[in-house]
Amino acid sequence: MAAGFAQAAGGYTSLEYYNENNRVTGADNIKEALVVGTKDGATDYSIKMENSQASFGNGSISQGLEVRVKQSFGPIYVGGRLGEKVSSTESFSHYAIDAGVKFPLVAGLTGDVGGRYRNAFESGHEFQSNRAHAMVSFAVTDHDSVGVRYSRAYGDDSEAKNAWRLSYTRSF
């Protein structure tokens, strides 16, 4: 249904796969996400739905939902997010602020460097983090792109993660 909305609205759908490592606990984690969005000029509106687990079929599952808005000013962008995190032990709302720069590299390659601050609205949740990322995307066709991103987050012990993300985006 979400992908149908993106197609009807002239938007996009992204599939994301993450491999995460917590630097404090040494725990590895995988995450998959679906992002559905649309752009109105320099403004990008999207919804992100994600699932996280130690490995497919192993360990407790956590889920998240975010509503996101990002505004571009030429190559610079800023954004905000509101979300809900749900796991077997807790559920809470959170917010995030993003900023970065996108720039062309060579023949269909685009770079993106940026950062994010994220925290829960109420205290008592280990969710506060600052994250830096570097990403390279390749436009396979006019409507399809793939990307690889490395990020490093700092903050509460549960959020001190290194992560690789592989993504595929289809624009309609």
Side-chain angles (χ1 to χ4, degrees):
M1 184 169 80
F5 167 76
Q7 185 174 2
Y12 63 90
T13 301
S14 294
L15 300 173
E16 301 175 345
Y17 172 81
Y18 299 73
N19 186 330
E20 300 175 325
N21 175 265
N22 185 301
R23 294 185 311 280
V24 175
T25 65
D28 290 320
N29 200 46
I30 59 169
K31 181 170 31 175
E32 349 32 75
L34 171 67
V35 179
V36 178
T38 188
K39 294 181 180 181
D40 181 14
T43 307
D44 183 332
Y45 304 96
S46 63
I47 297 172
K48 179 178 182 178
M49 298 159 276
E50 64 185 22
N51 289 302
S52 180
Q53 194 171 23
S55 62
F56 288 117
N58 182 22
S60 63
I61 297 173
S62 67
Q63 298 175 321
L65 177 68
E66 286 183 341
V67 177
R68 310 180 315 173
V69 177
K70 181 169 66 173
Q71 180 69 42
S72 296
F73 303 95
I76 298 169
Y77 62 86
V78 294
R81 308 176 191 196
L82 297 174
E84 184 73 17
K85 179 85 170 175
V86 179
S87 72
S88 60
T89 58
E90 62 183 347
S91 175
F92 58 90
S93 299
H94 59 88
Y95 64 94
I97 301 166
D98 299 285
V101 179
K102 282 189 174 186
F103 48 92
L105 294 170
V106 295
L109 286 173
T110 303
D112 180 343
V113 293
R116 178 203 71 199
Y117 173 77
R118 180 181 69 189
N119 206 348
F121 281 108
E122 57 189 47
S123 62
H125 304 285
E126 283 201 15
F127 204 62
Q128 184 278 328
S129 67
N130 295 300
R131 181 188 72 197
H133 75 264
M135 181 172 178
V136 176
S137 298
F138 177 68
V140 178
T141 70
D142 289 343
H143 298 283
D144 302 285
S145 66
V146 293
V148 176
R149 183 181 83 177
Y150 176 76
S151 63
R152 187 169 177 102
Y154 302 88
D156 290 334
D157 288 352
S158 68
E159 296 302 313
K161 298 175 184 174
N162 297 339
W164 286 94
R165 180 181 84 186
L166 177 62
S167 62
Y168 164 73
T169 301
R170 172 72 177 173
S171 300
F172 302 100

